[in-house]
Amino acid sequence: MRIGLAGAGRIGARHAAALCALPEVDALVIADADAVRARDLAARLPPESRAAVPDAVEDLFAAGLDGLVVAAATDAHADLVARAMAARVPVFCEKPLAPGLDGTFQIVTASAAAGVPVQVGFQRRFDAGNAAAREAVASGRLGWLHTVRSCSFDPAPPPAGYVPTSGGLFRDCVIHDLDLIRFVTGREVVRVTAAGANRGDDFFRECGDVDTGSALLVLDDGTLGVVSATRYNAAGYDSRLELFGSKDSVVAGQDARTPVTALPERDNGARDVYSGFMERFADAYDAELRAFLDVIAGRRGNPCPPEEALEAFYLAEACELSLREGRVVATEEVRR
């Protein structure tokens, strides 16, 4: 396969290395708004990757691609996905598909009409622990669920320049937890109540954002969900999913590297905690790209189509509305 990569930043570089390790990928075509960055990335890849760098991102669509991976800046996603669909090229796109709800809805509509696979990068669906949690729910092992808890705790805040265009904590970060709860439980969220706080850097408040947030979710079968996120968890990166049922309880994402200290403390030496989301979900990132190649080859159905991304965006939008207005928000209020 000849795979294109739009975006040579941090996540783009990670995807480039993963794609080069897949035997189906014969050649990689890397483009970035900064051509120098694209060439630097190509030079760091092994020679057998046959990495090529066109003069501009637009040249990707005339490069005879079998598939395109979009890891560019958020505001470029919608246009790149639309152009890939127009060129009949299957596309994998990091979330979000578009910066706003209207743009996401438009892509969903266009994708359905075009019939071109568009896989969205919600990598937590491919984490082994989360997949096992989904199976535990589906098998009935847990009985009926009464509580689901998910957290996303970053060890340090992003650069100040990132925040104004991030979409806010719930759209940028918590959306992963919201998608995961839908995926694992197989249920829909009917209403949310969100709250946030600012106790860190002023640039979050100045952008109308919060650095810490939580939301209470009510699912359509009465299960309660709690999601929590923060930009300040100096102990390390922490992403866990806990499910409590009438028969059993399980947790995904808790291991020797989880940055939580059990009390009373014992001297177990220095801990090698997770430094960030790319390290925590390294295997999941690899698995979602393998799945994308399977989608291209027709070996499997799309594991995360645009419709799923839209549902997660609805929930993030409902949380942001609840945060702003200080009230319970029914998810039907934000649906298109």
Side-chain angles (χ1 to χ4, degrees):
M1 292 183 184
R2 185 174 175 85
I3 303 296
L5 173 65
R10 182 172 61 155
I11 192 65
R14 202 249 176 265
H15 286 330
L19 288 166
C20 289
L22 296 173
E24 299 97 324
V25 178
D26 299 314
L28 192 61
V29 184
I30 304 170
D32 191 278
D34 182 347
V36 173
R37 184 162 67 171
R39 288 194 291 270
D40 287 345
L41 173 57
R44 297 197 302 270
L45 297 175
E48 56 269 23
S49 67
R50 296 174 57 197
V53 180
D55 292 332
V57 175
E58 292 75 15
D59 297 333
L60 284 170
F61 303 101
L65 301 179
D66 295 297
L68 174 67
V69 172
V70 174
T74 295
D75 58 3
H77 287 191
D79 179 65
L80 290 168
V81 171
R83 297 182 71 170
M85 289 191 293
R88 310 296 300 171
V89 175
V91 57
F92 170 93
C93 182
E94 281 295 335
K95 70 87 186 164
L97 286 170
L101 189 54
D102 288 340
T104 304
F105 185 80
Q106 290 170 8
I107 291 177
V108 170
T109 303
S111 173
V116 176
V118 177
Q119 180 182 331
V120 185
F122 280 108
Q123 85 282 352
R124 296 189 193 186
R125 291 178 171 224
F126 295 87
D127 176 74
N130 292 335
R134 185 174 191 242
E135 175 58 29
V137 173
S139 69
R141 167 186 166 182
L142 305 184
W144 47 265
L145 289 177
H146 56 77
T147 305
V148 180
R149 297 195 303 220
S150 183
C151 70
S152 294
F153 296 157
D154 291 332
Y162 172 81
V163 177
T165 59
S166 70
L169 182 69
F170 288 94
R171 298 189 193 95
D172 178 50
C173 182
V174 176
I175 193 168
H176 282 286
D177 302 87
L178 299 169
D179 175 73
L180 186 61
I181 287 176
R182 289 187 65 251
F183 176 71
V184 169
T185 66
R187 312 302 307 192
E188 299 296 341
V189 178
V190 296
R191 59 184 182 275
V192 307
T193 308
N198 290 100
R199 303 186 67 188
D201 293 288
D202 289 338
F203 58 76
F204 289 103
R205 182 183 296 102
E206 292 166 356
C207 294
D209 195 6
V210 293
D211 58 53
T212 301
S214 290
L216 173 65
L217 319 176
V218 179
L219 280 59
D220 58 9
D221 64 348
T223 300
L224 299 181
V226 179
V227 297
S228 300
T230 187
R231 304 295 194 180
Y232 294 93
N233 196 61
Y237 181 76
D238 193 354
S239 174
R240 277 173 289 150
L241 178 71
E242 301 171 319
L243 298 104
F244 302 89
S246 60
K247 294 181 180 179
D248 198 3
S249 303
V250 295
V251 57
Q254 183 166 314
D255 56 32
R257 301 188 66 188
T258 303
V260 175
T261 300
L263 298 177
E265 293 189 52
R266 294 174 174 83
D267 184 11
N268 295 319
R271 291 182 301 164
D272 179 24
V273 301
Y274 293 109
S275 62
F277 62 90
M278 286 201 291
E279 184 180 28
R280 163 67 176 83
F281 292 109
D283 291 342
Y285 277 115
D286 291 344
E288 69 178 354
L289 289 179
R290 288 196 299 271
F292 178 53
L293 297 191
D294 286 340
V295 170
I296 294 173
R299 292 189 292 261
R300 68 173 294 175
N302 191 341
C304 192
E307 291 81 2
E308 293 290 282
L310 179 61
E311 290 298 326
F313 209 125
Y314 282 144
L315 299 183
E317 194 76 7
C319 288
E320 289 285 351
L321 180 59
S322 175
L323 176 66
R324 291 196 306 270
E325 299 188 356
R327 65 179 179 88
V328 178
V329 173
T331 53
E332 288 300 321
E333 294 183 47
V334 299
R335 289 186 178 276
R336 297 290 188 267

